[in-house]
Each structure stands twice: as structure tokens, then as C-alpha cells.
């Protein structure tokens, strides 16, 4: 059973891990362990009940509570902070009952004075060694309750005073740098206040005791399933407990909980692995592929996108010329980016008016799509539903539909204003407008873009508390997208927000893939892709060969893009015959290995941030085949050590590795480094793709 009650504890178990909690002798719901699954229920310790530390820190301050509310003499980061209508500003939820069903545990807590019910939800995601948590609060009283902070979970990695936090940070065009740093007493905050999850930090973490590496060591890691403002506090107390709390950002947040109403947080997920950072990533990748993505087993096509070739200058003839060229390369999906709709001749006009422009497609968009289909390709289209140009019919008709403060200037971002998706009339318009295009055209792919961050986040006609906007906007976005998905199940969706501005689990429930950065320079991309791979699998990672960083060799640009969902976004009418030939070759190689990239297990073979050399391999689940990529971007003192050891092979199966002599066991390949360095190896901007193939065993060949 994934959930049991034993000796005052609730124990959630997954295939290899366990998570325990219980009510301590002070009546507080207390964490009691998270790590490897232990053989006997008695192995789990009872929940701790620490004493006070002088008159300044009460027992509650020291107790590793599962979900502390602000009350008592607690000065740690709480998960819950409220104000009652009578001016009282604390809450003391105490355990009342538990319900268990299959893989789910629900703990019901109540306050002794106010009729407020808190429920903590736990789900053991057994196959993926994850625990999913969320919290809901119900106001059974007669007065409204104001929520001022409500996180999804607090996690307790048992790393004592040696906590090290891994997180991803960056900015537009330079996303997802992996940083590992020791945590010391105090609180580190990672967050977004941008209305999206943001380019700057990503709602993911990993914690270890400073001793884990890619292949070995205990790691506790997690994600928030949310696409808007979020906050993570990584706190080491003065008594050396490490707490990671994650959830909706409390900055400028308020929620008015009316009598009879319930509020529920988004889910947070976290897991434990003894297999290092690589093990943590592979567990998340499998979870995302099997339980999150809308089309789990989809084999993704090779895309061509015409944005960099034509920009806003979209015409039937020029697009068709590109489509012919793309088909000759082996592309399977042709898509027109921005610039296809009414009045969109520049960045400053048309956004919001989602109808094909009759000047650009005099014979109609449907006829153009038929031409693309005749070339053997599917067709896709770009939308940016959340934005509007002031120079558009939509804005002229509905100037009140954008986020704004009435007395303030409406600041433009990329010449656009931000539609208020918290409003039901805006949601209805977007559903109707996008639906009309999808219902009347043979469209198989939609790129959903989002190209600015919020300013003046006002909602003058808000029915209640205007600061609910931060949450209601995201639910509005989810509603619009879910409705369109349900109406058009044939469509594959891509999410982009100026590249990696909205990379989170919530997006992956809606979109099949993510455009991870507007920076598609192949050498820059390697680090961004490695950062992305901490969280999400390559089958969600769009990677194109574009006209950026053309100083990097053509093959290298293809190899870097082949590590994800390969596409081409360059002006291919300018490619030479030799480049076309090379591109055709690599696209056909990609088609023969894409099942490994998209569905295999990723092994990062070089440490994050290693200057100049990146290697990774994707192995099939049955370990019968794989593909190895290696890239050199810098030659200096590291050059003689451009070596990697393979990982993840079956020890006693014999393999060949393309370009290296011999048929050797998995153990042999994994114990001797492969040399990519000096003497005819990779030079600067050298790259290679090598196949790994299991060989049918021969009798009597064992030592
Ligand atoms: C953003 C995207 C680009 C392209 C343009 C179109 O910049 O990141 O890929 O779609 O918008 O306006």
C-alpha cells in the first residue's frame, strides 16, 4: 500500500522511497522522515517534539512542522498567513482526522476558535518516486477570511548543516544557468513577480549535503506545478534545520475567502534519489513523459519555421518558396510565425486581430495550407493570444480589457499591452477568435507565444479583491488553452515566452513542447539545454538550427539541435547546395535516432558548467541502443582531457560505440574513458554524434 498509518505515523511509500509524518506530543503535525524506503514500518522514528530554547524560541519554532501557519512564537517562514475579519491575524490549525485512499492521504486540520478547515493533500506517485502535495482551505465561518500567504508545501531535506541548493537562474536570451551553492543560516528567496514563471529563476530546486554528483549521492529535488508568480524560500534555521517552502508568491497577493468558499493551492512535487543529479533528472523526465504531457508517446516531427527568413513580410509566394525548400530538406511540419494576420505589417500593429490577412493571402490561408500539404508537410501557425497592440481593432473596441491602473500611463512592452485573462469576457473572446481559425483550417501545430512581462497589474472592474489577479489570470490562461485543446485534439502546441519565460510543469500540461530560449546560437545553447534538462525531458525541448551564431560550423549547429526536437528556422533560401546537402543528411540521421532522444534516458556525461566541453548520451529504456553527442567549444588547458565515461549501459551486455574500436561489455566501456581530445580528436567547435549498439551475445565469450 502506498499509504499506511502505523504507530502514530502516516507513511507514504513509492517504489524506492518513503515519506513519514505524524502528530507530535505537542499536537503539531510534524515531519518524520524522507529518504530511502525502509524495510519495516517500525524503522521510521516518531515525530520530533523539541523543547524551547530560552524564552525567545518556543517549541513550535523548532518543530519541523509539515505546514506551519503563522501563530505562537514561530519566526520561521510560515506556509500560511491570514487575517480574520475581527482583526486577529493568526491561525492555529490542529489535526482532527485523516482519510486515506489508494495513493492519497488527506489530513484535516481545524482551528479551535475560528471555523476554518485546512486540508493537506499528499499523493504518492509510486512509479516515479515522487510525493505530490497541495493544501486547501475552507471557510465554514460567517465572516470572510483574507489569505495573505498560502504556499503549496514545505519540504524537509535531511541534510543537517551541510545543505547545498541547486537552482536555475538567467535572463532573456541567456536562461537556465545551473548554480549550486551552500546554504547558511538565513533565508534565500527565489521567485517570480512577473505574472509568468519567468526567465530569471525557474520553480525547480535540488538539495544535497554537498556530496552528490551527476551519478551518485542523495538528492532531494522538486518543482511547483504553476505558471504564474511563485516563491521558493530555502531556509536554514539558526538551529540548522533546512526547509524548502514553495508555492504562490505572497508578494502583492491577497485572496478574500468568503464564507462557504474554498481556496486550493497548485500542486508541488518533490522526490528523493540516491543516484545523484542525473538520477533526479531522469525521474522527473519519466514522470513528465508518462503523467504530464498531453500526448505521451508522440514522435515529434522535424519542423521548419519561417520567422527568421521573412519576419513580418509574409506573402503567399515567398512562404511557398520556403515550403518547397523545407520539404526538400526533409521537414515534416511547416509553420508560419508572426506576421500572417490582419494588419500585421510591423511589430506595432495587428496583435489581437486573429484573422488571416487578405493582402498576404489573397487566395485565402486555406489554399496556402493545401499547397503545404501537397508538399507532404503538416502546417502550423503562431499566435500571441495574451497581448494586444493599441493599433488594433480589438483595442479600439475594448480598451478596458487590458491590465491597467486608471490613473497611470499604460506602458508598452514590445509595442503591446497585456490582456487581462482573469476577465471572463476576454477568455471568451480568445477562445472564439483562436477557435475560428483552427476550426476553418487544416492546422496541426500552434505556437503560443507571450512576449512581455506585466506592468500596471490593475483590474479596475475586479469583482472582489483586485490582488487576486495574479492567480485568476493563470487560471484564465489555463481555461482558454484547455478549452482550445479539447476542441482541437489534432493540434500539437508549443509554448514560448520570449524563449524561456514560462518553463514550468503547468505549461507542460497544456503544451507538448517549449521553445526554451530565443538564443539559438548553437554554442550558447549547449548550456541552456543542459540547464533545461535538469527539469524536463528532451521530448519537450525545441531546438532549431537558425541563422544565429553562424561562425559555428554547420555540423555543430545541427548536432546541438539534434539533442532535442530538431527544427530549422534559418533562411534556407540562402543556403548553398552543399549546406542543403549537409542539412538533408543530418535531418535523416535525426529521424533514425529521434526515438532515443525523445523517449530515451539522458545521461549528462560532463559536469554542469565545465568550460569548453559538453557530452551527453540518450540510451533506450532497454539499453539496446543509444546515441552519444560531444561538443568542444574551447581549447585551452582542458584540451588533453576531453574524455568521457559512458554511463547507464548494462554491465554484461556487449556494445559497439561508433568511432571507437572493439566490442566491449558495458562495464568495460563505462570504466575506461573515451578520448575526444588531442591527436585527431575534436578541435575547437568540433562536434560528433556516435551510435551505441548492443551486440547479440556469442556463446562462451565470458571471462
Ligand atoms: C518572439 C519569439 C520569436 C518570434 C517573434 C515573433 O520574439 O521569441 O521566435 O516568434 O516573437 O514576433
Amino acid at each position: 500500500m502506498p499509504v499506511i498509518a502505523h504507530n502514530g505515523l502516516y507513511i507514504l511509500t513509492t517504489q524506492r522511497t518513503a515519506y513519514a509524518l505524524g502528530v507530535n506530543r505537542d499536537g503539531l503535525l510534524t515531519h518524520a522522515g524522507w529518504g530511502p524506503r525502509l524495510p519495516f514500518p517500525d524503522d521510521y522514528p516518531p515525530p520530533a517534539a523539541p523543547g524551547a530554547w530560552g524564552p525567545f524560541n518556543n517549541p513550535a519554532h523548532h518543530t519541523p512542522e509539515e505546514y506551519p501557519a503563522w501563530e505562537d512564537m514561530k519566526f520561521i517562514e510560515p506556509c500560511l498567513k491570514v487575517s480574520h475579519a475581527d482583526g486577529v491575524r493568526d491561525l492555529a490549525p490542529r489535526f482532527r482526522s485523516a482519510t486515506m485512499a489508494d495513493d492519497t492521504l488527506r489530513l484535516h486540520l481545524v482551528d479551535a476558535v475560528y471555523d476554518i478547515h485546512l486540508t493537506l493533500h499528499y499523493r504518492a506517485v509510486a512509479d516515479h518516486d515522487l510525493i505530490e502535495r497541495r493544501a486547501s482551505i475552507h471557510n465554514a465561518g460567517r465572516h470572510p477570511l483574507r489569505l495573505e500567504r498560502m504556499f503549496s508545501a514545505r519540504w524537509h531535506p535531511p541534510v543537517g548543516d551541510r545543505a547545498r541548493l541547486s537552482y536555475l537562474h538567467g535572463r532573456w536570451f541567456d536562461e537556465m544557468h545551473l548554480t549550486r551553492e551552500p546554504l547558511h543560516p538565513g533565508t534565500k528567496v527565489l521567485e517570480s513577480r512577473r505574472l509568468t514563471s519567468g526567465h530569471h529563476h525557474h520553480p525547480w530546486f535540488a538539495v544535497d549535503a554537498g556530496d552528490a554528483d551527476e551519478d551518485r549521492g542523495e538528492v532531494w529535488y522538486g518543482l511547483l506545478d504553476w505558471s504564474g508568480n511563485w516563491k521558493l524560500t530555502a531556509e536554514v534555521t539558526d538551529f540548522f534545520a533546512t526547509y524548502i517552502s514553495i508555492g504562490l508568491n505572497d508578494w502583492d497577493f491577497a485572496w478574500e475567502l468568503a464564507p462557504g468558499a474554498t481556496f486550493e493551492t497548485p500542486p508541488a512535487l518533490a522526490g528523493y534519489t540516491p543516484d545523484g543529479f542525473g538520477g533526479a533528472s531522469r525521474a522527473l523526465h519519466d514522470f513528465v513523459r508518462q503523467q504530464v504531457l498531453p500526448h505521451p508517446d508522440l514522435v515529434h516531427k522535424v519542423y521548419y519555421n519561417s520567422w527568421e527568413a521573412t519576419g513580418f513580410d509574409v506573402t503567399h509566394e515567398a512562404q511557398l518558396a520556403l515550403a518547397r525548400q523545407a520539404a526538400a530538406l526533409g521537414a515534416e511540419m511547416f509553420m508560419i510565425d508572426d506576421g500572417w494576420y490582419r494588419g500585421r505589417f510591423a511589430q506595432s500593429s495587428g496583435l489581437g486581430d486573429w484573422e488571416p490577412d487578405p493582402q498576404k493571402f489573397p487566395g485565402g490561408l486555406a489554399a496556402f495550407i493545401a499547397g503545404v500539404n501537397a508538399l507532404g508537410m503538416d502546417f502550423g501557425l503562431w499566435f500571441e493570444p495574451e497581448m494586444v497592440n493599441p493599433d488594433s481593432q480589438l483595442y479600439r473596441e475594448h480598451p478596458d480589457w487590458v491590465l491597467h491602473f486608471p490613473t497611470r500611463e499604460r506602458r508598452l512592452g514590445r509595442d503591446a499591452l497585456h490582456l487581462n485573462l482573469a476577465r471572463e469576457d476576454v477568455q471568451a473572446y480568445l477562445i472564439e477568435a483562436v477557435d475560428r481559425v483552427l476550426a476553418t483550417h487544416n492546422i496541426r501545430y500552434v505556437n503560443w507565444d507571450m512576449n512581455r512581462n506585466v506592468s500596471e497589474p490593475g483590474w479596475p472592474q475586479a469583482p472582489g479583491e483586485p490582488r487576486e489577479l495574479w492567480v485568476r489570470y493563470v487560471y484564465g490562461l489555463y481555461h482558454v488553452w484547455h478549452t482550445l485543446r479539447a476542441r482541437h485534439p489534432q493540434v500539437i502546441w508549443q509554448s514560448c515566452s520570449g524563449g524561456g519565460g514560462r518553463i514550468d510543469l503547468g505549461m507542460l500540461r497544456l503544451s507538448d513542447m517549449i521553445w526554451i530560449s530565443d538564443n539559438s546560437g548553437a554554442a550558447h545553447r549547449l548550456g541552456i539545454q543542459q540547464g533545461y534538462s535538469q527539469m524536463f525531458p528532451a521530448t519537450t525541448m525545441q531546438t532549431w538550427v537558425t541563422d544565429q551564431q553562424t561562425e559555428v560550423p554547420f555540423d555543430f549547429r545541427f548536432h546541438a539541435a539534434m539533442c532535442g526536437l530538431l527544427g530549422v528556422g534559418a533562411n534556407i533560401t540562402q543556403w548553398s547546395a552543399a549546406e542543403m546537402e549537409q542539412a538533408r543528411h543530418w535531418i535523416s540521421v535525426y529521424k533514425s535516432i529521434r526515438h532515443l532522444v525523445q523517449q530515451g534516458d539522458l545521461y549528462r556525461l560532463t559536469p554542469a558548467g565545465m568550460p569548453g566541453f559538453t557530452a551527453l548520451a540518450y540510451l533506450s529504456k532497454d539499453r539496446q541502443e543509444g546515441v552519444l553527442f560531444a561538443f568542444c567549444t574551447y581549447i585551452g588547458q582542458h584540451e588533453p582531457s576531453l574524455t568521457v565515461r559512458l554511463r547507464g549501459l548494462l554491465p554484461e551486455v556487449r556494445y559497439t560505440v561508433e568511432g571507437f574500436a572493439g566490442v566491449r561489455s558495458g562495464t568495460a566501456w563505462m570504466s575506461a574513458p573515451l578520448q575526444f581530445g588531442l591527436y585527431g580528436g575534436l578541435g575547437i567547435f568540433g562536434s560528433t554524434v556516435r551510435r551505441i549498439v548492443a551486440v547479440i551475445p556469442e556463446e562462451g565469450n565470458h571471462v
Side-chain angles (χ1 to χ4, degrees):
M1 282 294 284
V3 185
I4 60 164
H6 178 81
N7 226 0
L9 285 180
Y10 297 98
I11 305 169
L12 293 109
T13 54
T14 67
Q15 261 179 22
R16 299 196 304 164
T17 77
Y19 186 102
L21 64 153
V23 180
N24 77 0
R25 61 156 199 265
D26 296 330
L28 298 176
L29 188 63
T30 302
H31 184 71
W34 183 24
R37 182 173 175 167
L38 303 175
F40 307 106
D42 287 336
D43 289 336
Y44 298 94
W53 178 257
F56 293 95
N57 297 283
N58 275 3
H61 179 80
H62 302 287
T63 303
E65 276 187 90
E66 277 292 298
Y67 195 82
W70 184 63
E71 51 150 338
D72 196 342
M73 218 188 260
K74 287 183 207 168
F75 301 99
I76 40 83
E77 288 289 337
C79 284
L80 184 60
K81 168 88 176 65
V82 304
S83 281
H84 300 274
D86 59 7
V88 170
R89 302 195 308 281
D90 77 3
L91 195 73
R94 295 291 180 268
F95 178 78
R96 176 183 273 181
S97 64
T99 41
M100 293 188 284
D102 301 331
D103 54 357
T104 307
L105 168 68
R106 284 197 192 86
L107 302 172
H108 308 283
L109 295 88
V110 288
D111 185 278
V113 175
Y114 297 91
D115 211 355
I116 301 296
H117 299 236
L118 175 70
T119 304
L120 303 182
H121 307 252
Y122 294 80
R123 183 168 75 93
V125 188
D127 290 349
H128 303 289
D129 290 331
L130 292 166
I131 304 294
E132 184 187 75
R133 291 182 56 184
R134 66 204 150 83
S136 58
I137 191 163
H138 177 68
N139 182 357
R142 284 184 292 118
H143 304 286
L145 179 77
R146 170 170 291 243
L147 306 177
E148 293 170 356
R149 171 186 284 191
M150 189 158 173
F151 283 164
S152 298
R154 184 215 253 181
W155 303 104
H156 301 77
V159 287
D161 60 357
R162 292 177 300 150
R164 180 171 65 163
L165 176 70
S166 300
Y167 61 98
L168 296 164
H169 68 93
R171 49 196 169 156
W172 173 75
F173 216 70
D174 188 22
E175 297 89 341
M176 285 172 289
H177 293 272
L178 178 65
T179 292
R180 302 198 200 286
E181 67 190 34
L183 291 173
H184 299 294
T187 301
K188 181 172 180 86
V189 174
L190 307 174
E191 63 173 346
S192 170
R193 302 176 178 186
R194 293 166 181 268
L195 190 53
T196 64
S197 40
H199 290 90
H200 294 251
H201 291 116
H202 300 276
W204 168 86
F205 68 89
V207 173
D208 72 307
D211 52 5
D213 63 20
E214 203 44 43
D215 306 308
R216 274 168 240 101
E218 296 190 294
V219 178
W220 292 262
Y221 57 94
L223 297 160
L224 183 68
D225 191 344
W226 184 244
S227 309
N229 284 7
W230 59 275
K231 183 170 183 175
L232 177 152
T233 61
E235 179 175 21
V236 176
T237 70
D238 296 323
F239 301 84
F240 295 104
T242 301
Y243 301 140
I244 306 290
S245 303
I246 194 164
L248 298 172
N249 203 334
D250 55 350
W251 179 83
D252 198 39
F253 165 81
W255 192 277
E256 203 70 22
L257 196 67
T262 301
F263 180 81
E264 186 170 294
T265 71
L269 282 124
Y272 159 80
T273 177
D275 298 331
F277 299 107
S281 298
R282 285 186 292 278
L284 283 177
H285 295 180
D286 281 344
F287 168 70
V288 168
R289 282 188 293 221
Q290 290 165 31
Q291 295 204 10
V292 177
L293 291 179
H295 299 109
D297 301 319
L298 196 69
V299 177
H300 286 284
K301 296 182 188 275
V302 174
Y303 294 80
Y304 178 78
N305 175 304
S306 62
W307 169 249
E308 289 198 11
T310 51
F312 297 110
D313 190 14
V314 171
T315 63
H316 180 106
E317 291 71 29
Q319 296 299 312
L320 209 53
L322 281 164
R324 281 192 205 99
Q325 192 87 337
L329 284 180
E332 298 156 306
M333 172 82 77
F334 180 85
M335 68 162 296
I336 300 184
D337 207 274
D338 200 348
W340 58 270
Y341 47 94
R342 186 146 51 83
R344 188 64 163 175
F345 293 96
Q347 186 177 285
S348 56
S349 62
L351 208 50
D353 298 339
W354 302 112
E355 286 167 32
D357 189 282
Q359 279 185 49
K360 296 177 184 225
F361 298 101
L365 182 60
F368 175 78
I369 296 173
V372 170
N373 295 154
L375 292 166
M377 293 183 294
D378 284 343
F379 179 76
L381 208 53
W382 179 99
F383 288 84
E384 192 180 1
E386 296 156 85
M387 298 301 146
V388 62
N389 285 133
D391 184 4
S392 65
Q393 193 178 318
L394 179 66
Y395 188 72
R396 282 186 281 276
E397 284 171 13
H398 299 286
D400 54 328
W401 278 10
V402 298
L403 295 171
H404 65 285
F405 289 134
T407 58
R408 297 290 177 199
E409 176 196 340
R410 301 175 180 199
R411 284 194 183 79
L412 297 175
R414 206 174 181 252
D415 291 321
L417 293 166
H418 209 136
L419 287 172
N420 182 356
L421 268 73
R423 291 177 61 126
E424 287 177 11
D425 45 7
V426 173
Q427 296 166 17
Y429 167 78
L430 290 178
I431 291 170
E432 209 271 317
V434 179
D435 180 57
R436 195 169 344 107
V437 181
L438 298 185
T440 50
H441 298 88
N442 183 16
I443 292 170
R444 296 289 162 149
Y445 171 87
V446 169
N447 174 348
W448 183 305
D449 208 341
M450 204 284 200
N451 277 318
R452 64 161 290 182
N453 282 149
V454 70
S455 62
E456 301 86 42
W459 181 5
Q461 296 85 18
E465 164 57 68
R467 281 175 291 182
E468 293 177 10
L469 170 84
W470 301 108
V471 173
R472 293 194 185 275
Y473 180 100
V474 177
Y475 283 124
L477 169 73
Y478 288 169
H479 169 66
V480 171
W481 204 324
H482 270 299
T483 308
L484 290 167
R485 277 209 78 99
R487 289 194 193 169
H488 302 283
Q490 82 285 2
V491 174
I492 305 298
W493 301 77
Q494 184 240 57
S495 166
C496 169
S497 177
R502 198 156 58 184
I503 296 177
D504 56 68
L505 212 51
M507 279 294 106
L508 286 177
R509 294 191 186 283
L510 296 162
S511 59
D512 302 271
M513 62 186 84
I514 291 183
W515 178 239
I516 63 167
S517 181
D518 281 350
N519 186 339
S520 49
H524 297 148
R525 264 291 177 123
L526 294 176
I528 297 173
Q529 292 176 190
Q530 198 173 32
Y532 184 86
S533 77
Q534 303 294 324
M535 304 180 282
F536 297 135
T539 195
T540 63
M541 180 174 83
Q542 265 205 334
T543 44
W544 298 347
V545 177
T546 69
D547 290 328
Q548 293 180 32
Q549 241 188 0
T550 46
E551 65 275 22
V552 173
F554 199 79
D555 285 351
F556 188 113
R557 287 156 61 199
F558 262 92
H559 294 167
M562 287 162 71
C563 293
L565 299 180
L566 175 66
V568 175
N571 188 352
I572 49 181
T573 56
Q574 302 298 308
W575 280 3
S576 67
E579 285 172 331
M580 285 295 288
E581 194 44 51
Q582 264 169 295
R584 242 192 306 276
H585 168 69
W586 289 122
I587 287 172
S588 99
V589 171
Y590 180 74
K591 288 177 181 170
S592 72
I593 58 163
R594 65 179 154 191
H595 60 291
L596 299 169
V597 174
Q598 296 177 18
Q599 299 299 336
D601 281 341
L602 168 68
Y603 285 82
R604 291 180 293 254
L605 303 175
T606 45
M610 175 167 165
F613 184 48
T614 303
L616 56 147
Y618 295 98
L619 303 180
S620 64
K621 290 279 176 199
D622 64 5
R623 299 296 190 262
Q624 294 304 295
E625 52 174 342
V627 58
L628 165 70
F629 294 90
F631 303 88
C632 175
T633 52
Y634 168 77
I635 295 202
Q637 54 182 335
H638 299 285
E639 201 269 346
S641 61
L642 298 187
T643 57
V644 291
R645 286 180 182 214
L646 291 176
R647 293 277 173 256
L649 300 176
L650 293 178
E652 301 213 351
V653 168
R654 285 151 54 88
Y655 296 91
T656 58
V657 180
E658 193 179 349
F660 293 93
V663 180
R664 310 173 69 201
S665 67
T667 303
W669 285 117
M670 291 190 290
S671 58
L674 301 181
Q675 173 71 249
F676 287 96
L678 280 173
Y679 319 124
L682 295 185
I684 187 155
F685 290 131
S687 61
T688 187
V689 184
R690 308 283 175 90
R691 287 170 200 264
I692 302 165
V693 181
V695 176
I696 310 292
E698 291 163 34
E699 287 297 315
N701 207 356
H702 272 67
V703 191

